[in-house]
Amino acid sequence: MIVIYGIGSQLKPKTSVFSDTIHGCMQRVLGMPEDKRAHRFVHLAEDDFYYPGGRSAAYTVIEINMMAGRTVDTQKTLIKTLFREIEQQVGLAPIDVEIVIKEQAPHQWGFRGMTGDEARDLNYKVNV
């Protein structure tokens, strides 16, 4: 599950290309299937979004929530791939993008009436 935050006037026109770019990176690096796109865009009012100095109004935060299990190298590859592809596909400079990966243990996930550690039918690998 991915949450993307930004100023609405900046983010909204790019929502579709952002989603396609992020999901493409998730597929290439993590092996996520096409039908596992779970993106939430939060379009904030300009006066509701404070961001660090040296950034433009296009500053965007990407929070990636996923079950624990990916290696440090895999996570770093995902972050670097996202920076590169977002710059190329969305036109957003890396200085205006912040990415955080939040991992939770499988038992802390709930979907389809079960917890993540009970799921035996995932069509992607968590431990990559």
Side-chain angles (χ1 to χ4, degrees):
M1 187 172 303
I2 301 173
V3 183
I4 302 98
Y5 301 89
I7 294 174
S9 61
Q10 298 286 321
L11 186 57
K12 195 159 186 87
K14 301 174 183 173
T15 297
S16 180
V17 69
F18 243 121
S19 182
D20 290 345
T21 301
I22 291 169
H23 192 58
C25 293
M26 300 294 285
Q27 288 180 293
R28 281 193 301 283
V29 177
L30 301 181
M32 297 301 291
E34 177 59 37
D35 67 342
K36 293 298 179 193
R37 186 184 306 222
H39 301 166
R40 309 298 180 262
F41 285 85
V42 180
H43 302 111
L44 297 165
E46 197 168 333
D47 59 350
D48 289 332
F49 192 47
Y50 294 87
Y51 49 88
R55 294 354 183 248
S56 77
Y59 178 75
T60 303
V61 176
I62 301 169
E63 293 180 357
I64 302 169
N65 293 282
M66 62 184 173
M67 280 193 270
R70 278 75 177 201
T71 67
V72 169
D73 286 340
T74 298
Q75 292 179 47
K76 289 175 75 170
T77 297
L78 176 60
I79 289 171
K80 291 176 182 181
T81 301
L82 283 163
F83 278 129
R84 183 183 68 246
E85 293 299 314
I86 289 169
E87 184 171 29
Q88 290 175 1
Q89 304 298 321
V90 182
L92 204 57
I95 191 72
D96 277 330
V97 178
E98 189 165 318
I99 302 165
V100 62
I101 294 175
K102 297 178 176 183
E103 286 187 301
Q104 300 87 25
H107 70 272
Q108 294 172 311
W109 280 81
F111 49 86
R112 298 191 323 263
M114 68 185 95
T115 59
D117 61 329
E118 296 169 331
R120 301 287 178 250
D121 61 345
L122 297 177
N123 57 354
Y124 57 91
K125 294 181 182 179
V126 173
N127 298 311
V128 293

